[in-house]
Amino acid sequence: MGSIILKGKLFTGYDIVENGEIKITGSMIEKVGEKGSIEIKKDDKVFDFSGLTIMPGLIDAHLHFFGGTSHDLMDWVTVNPQTAMLRSTLDAFRLLSSGFTTVRSLGDKTSIALSRAFKNGELLGPRVFSASYSIAQTGGDDDPRILPIDIANRLSYSYYCDSPWECRKAVRLCIRDGADVIKVYASGSFAGGGKIKRELTVEELSAIVDESHEAGLKVAAHAYGEEAISNVIKAGVDSIEHGLGLTEKLAEEIKEKNMCYVPTLTAYALSKNKGSEERKKLIERHFNEDMEIAKEKKLNIVAGTDLVGISEEPHGLNYLEIVHLSKYIGNLDALKAATVNAATCLGINAGVLKENYIADIIAIKGNPLNDVNELEPNHVDFVMINGKIAKLNGILMPFGV
């Protein structure tokens, strides 16, 4: 069987090749070069994408597959498991059709099965990096406290822990599930409607990081507020999720420790005017001071939407994070946030059109370097994941070719 050759304008993840070619053999990129630099053999398949922009597959580094219908916590924890899985599988198809070839799901009850199905070749969808269940303190974020504790523990998508040793056990439970990453709640959020405060101590967070790193897994930390951000920096997490309440001093520490900053602007933009005055104020600050500090201090900004797949905010709109980021860091760096930066954050050999990288490639009608809105789903003409064509001429091919 021959190789696949793609011809056209390339955005490699770093720069533009106006007339380029890519050779894909198996699941990997074998060669990238100028037009005419790749020898084409008789059994090779050649695709000419003149007028399109060929680029790395997009990555959403923070989302969830809850399979629910609303932002209500009880909906997330009580949805029928079979229903949740069916809805999440449809969400996975939507994501792939929209050009997202890798996603990181940070706490839910379905993504571990999606991740396993992708790895086993049983599902053509995006590569799913799953945290399995998230880790939180008892009575903390996403603990449905109206339920008795035993029922809450059984229905929740979090493992609850209340000491360093319990936190280590929670990590081990995630590892037992097959987690690709560990997600921890270092603060509250808006899910329960309460006041934002730090959750878990530095000692507990450090135990989680130590146990995770010992197993070769990165740690993503949900952190709202200065105290929570400071705590996760001290604990040595790998990425800070949301990061509302960023200060210049904290940003300098994040930069010094080479941590990723995932501001999840899309989720807030879609619900900016909802909730309490405190919520609105924190979000307003996030879209102004927080992001200006992140830009000024040149943090490693990574694209993540925090979309959960409900009908009002479906997966497939994930490109909006790139649109929001572009307003602060420009189109090129916003695209990098969803390709090379996100791949580095996840620790995968993707996100770049380069020899010996995974062949996750898309082709866009238009030029997203000039206008990132060109990334909207109906502009995604071609999708390849792991060297397998999943969308061609705008038509999703659920079994791949």
Side-chain angles (χ1 to χ4, degrees), residues 111-129:
S111 63
I112 198 70
L114 291 174
S115 176
R116 202 173 285 129
F118 176 86
K119 290 171 186 173
N120 293 338
E122 298 162 344
L123 174 70
L124 187 69
R127 180 180 299 101
V128 178
F129 267 62

Side-chain angles (χ1 to χ4, degrees), residues 22-32 352-361:
I22 309 173
K23 181 178 183 179
I24 298 104
T25 302
S27 63
M28 305 298 287
I29 297 172
E30 184 176 329
K31 188 171 182 181
V32 179
V352 185
L353 302 184
K354 187 176 180 181
E355 290 83 357
N356 300 317
Y357 273 60
I358 298 168
D360 289 355
I361 303 169

Side-chain angles (χ1 to χ4, degrees), residues 11-15 54-61 99-102 300-304 322 325 331-353 357 360-362 364 368-369 375:
F11 168 57
T12 67
Y14 293 104
D15 50 30
I54 303 168
M55 60 182 286
L58 300 172
I59 301 171
D60 188 331
F100 283 83
T101 52
T102 301
N300 183 21
I301 296 173
V302 172
I322 302 167
L325 289 173
N331 291 356
L332 175 60
D333 284 338
L335 287 168
K336 286 182 176 180
T339 53
V340 59
N341 289 5
T344 301
C345 182
L346 272 60
I348 59 171
N349 198 36
V352 185
L353 302 184
Y357 273 60
D360 289 355
I361 303 169
I362 62 175
I364 305 294
L369 280 164
L375 294 169

Side-chain angles (χ1 to χ4, degrees), residues 162-300:
D162 301 294
S163 70
W165 285 111
E166 284 193 5
C167 288
R168 287 183 184 274
K169 182 172 182 179
V171 172
R172 292 170 187 174
L173 287 170
C174 291
I175 293 169
R176 185 179 187 276
D177 293 339
D180 305 294
V181 61
I182 299 299
K183 155 73 177 294
V184 59
Y185 283 100
S187 76
S189 69
F190 306 124
K195 187 172 181 178
I196 303 305
K197 63 182 181 62
R198 70 99 174 137
E199 293 181 358
L200 297 174
T201 64
V202 174
E203 186 182 14
E204 289 168 322
L205 292 166
S206 297
I208 289 167
V209 171
D210 180 66
E211 195 70 29
S212 303
H213 286 178
E214 184 66 24
L217 298 180
K218 294 190 175 189
V219 179
H222 164 117
Y224 282 32
E226 292 181 37
E227 186 178 5
I229 297 173
S230 177
N231 286 351
V232 298
I233 294 171
K234 289 173 186 172
V237 304
D238 300 282
S239 65
I240 293 171
E241 311 297 314
H242 315 300
L244 281 75
L246 187 67
T247 66
E248 289 192 8
K249 181 176 181 297
L250 291 171
E252 287 165 3
E253 293 173 7
I254 291 168
K255 181 73 174 177
E256 183 183 345
K257 294 196 175 185
N258 199 31
M259 294 173 173
C260 298
Y261 185 70
V262 190
T264 63
L265 300 177
T266 300
Y268 303 125
L270 291 171
S271 61
K272 209 170 184 180
N273 299 315
K274 296 179 181 178
S276 66
E277 288 306 311
E278 180 188 10
R279 182 185 193 278
K280 293 175 187 174
K281 185 177 177 182
L282 278 168
I283 290 174
E284 187 65 28
R285 169 180 167 156
H286 194 49
F287 276 95
N288 291 285
E289 289 98 318
D290 293 355
M291 288 307 300
E292 288 301 327
I293 290 169
K295 174 186 174 182
E296 180 191 340
K297 298 300 180 181
K298 297 185 166 121
L299 297 189
N300 183 21

Side-chain angles (χ1 to χ4, degrees), residues 64-70 74-92 94 108-111 113-114 308-311 315:
H64 302 269
F65 289 105
F66 285 135
T69 58
S70 72
M74 289 300 294
D75 180 31
W76 296 349
V77 300
T78 60
V79 61
N80 178 280
Q82 289 82 12
T83 301
M85 182 55 67
L86 288 169
R87 289 172 177 166
S88 296
T89 301
L90 180 58
D91 284 337
R94 286 196 187 107
D108 54 55
K109 294 191 275 189
T110 62
S111 63
L114 291 174
V308 300
I310 64 172
S311 54
H315 287 306

